[in-house]
């Protein structure tokens, strides 16, 4: 399959989730996203309103990370954070599932959690992505959680926060794609720092990439002569 620079840029969620990020850092992030035509900026919930203003008129979405990075919050707390992010102007959000509940195989709980967060997105007409944190999960657990997603139908399932012990793998992307169903897309995130890594994720079925190396990826594509 052939890839254009514009198509790949439009898959990138340009990311800054650092605890010490400042207004200057967010301005830089938004300016870069605008210049490169990235899909969104991926940020914590505090700077949502600020980044929405910075991106006004650009076509770049303001995304928020909810329950980030551990997911060890009550469903009610995640819903409240998501609703607050929506109120402040987020146009999509990624939330971290309760990974402990996955390890307990409490998929009824996880389905309730997913349904509650997806409901926030549906009420607001925006996109919801569910972060699995695959580095902590067995293949069987990934499959079972993807099957929950196939029923609840979030917009995306996502591999990783980038804060775990490992990030995305092409194998996990393909596994999630296979079991989440035709209505759910896959976002790969964590450790995607080159065009080769990004291409592997896209080839495996990812349609969105979470990375702080989007500029490097695009410049490597251009260096290869891709248009």
């Amino acid at each position: 399959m052939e890839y254009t620079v514009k198509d790949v840029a439009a898959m990138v969620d340009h990311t800054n989730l650092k605890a010490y990020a400042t207004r200057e850092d967010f301005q830089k992030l938004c300016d870069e996203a605008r210049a490169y035509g990235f899909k969104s900026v991926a940020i914590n919930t505090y700077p949502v309103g600020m980044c929405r203003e910075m991106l006004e008129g650009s076509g770049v979405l303001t995304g928020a990370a909810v329950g980030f990075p551990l997911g060890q919050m009550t469903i009610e707390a995640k819903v409240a954070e998501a609703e607050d992010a929506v109120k402040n102007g987020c146009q999509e959000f990624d939330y971290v599932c309760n990974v402990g509940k996955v390890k307990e195989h409490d998929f009824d709980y996880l389905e309730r959690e997913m349904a509650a967060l997806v409901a926030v997105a549906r009420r607001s007409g925006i996109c919801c992505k569910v972060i699995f944190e695959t580095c902590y999960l067995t293949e069987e657990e990934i499959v079972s959680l993807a099957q929950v997603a196939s029923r609840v139908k979030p917009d995306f399932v996502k591999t990783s926060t980038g804060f775990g012990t490992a990030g995305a793998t092409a194998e996990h992307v393909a596994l999630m794609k296979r079991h989440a169903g035709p209505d759910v897309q896959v976002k790969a995130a964590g450790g995607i720092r080159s065009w080769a890594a990004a291409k592997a994720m896209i080839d495996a079925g990812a349609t969105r990439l979470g990375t702080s190396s989007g500029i490097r990826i695009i410049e490597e594509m251009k260096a290869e002569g891709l248009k």
Side-chain angles (χ1 to χ4, degrees), residues 97 102 107 110 114 132 137 141-149:
C97 77
V102 185
F107 294 102
L110 290 155
M114 198 180 296
F132 283 25
L137 308 181
E141 289 163 346
I142 293 169
V143 167
S144 294
L145 192 53
Q147 288 171 340
V148 172

Side-chain angles (χ1 to χ4, degrees), residues 9 13 15 30 43 55 72 87 91 110 112-113 115 120 127 130-131 134 142 145 156 167-168 177 179 194-195 197 215:
D13 291 346
T15 305
C30 292
I43 53 177
L55 290 167
Q72 289 283 346
K87 181 185 72 176
Q91 294 158 296
L110 290 155
R112 292 196 305 275
E113 178 182 71
V120 174
C127 173
V130 183
I131 305 172
T134 52
I142 293 169
L145 192 53
F156 284 82
K177 179 66 178 173
H179 293 279
S194 67
W195 166 229
I215 292 173

Side-chain angles (χ1 to χ4, degrees), residues 170 173-174 177 184-187 199-208:
V173 168
K177 179 66 178 173
V184 181
Q185 299 180 68
V186 180
K187 174 178 172 179
K199 184 177 183 299
M201 300 304 163
I202 298 167
D203 287 343
T207 52
R208 197 78 76 88

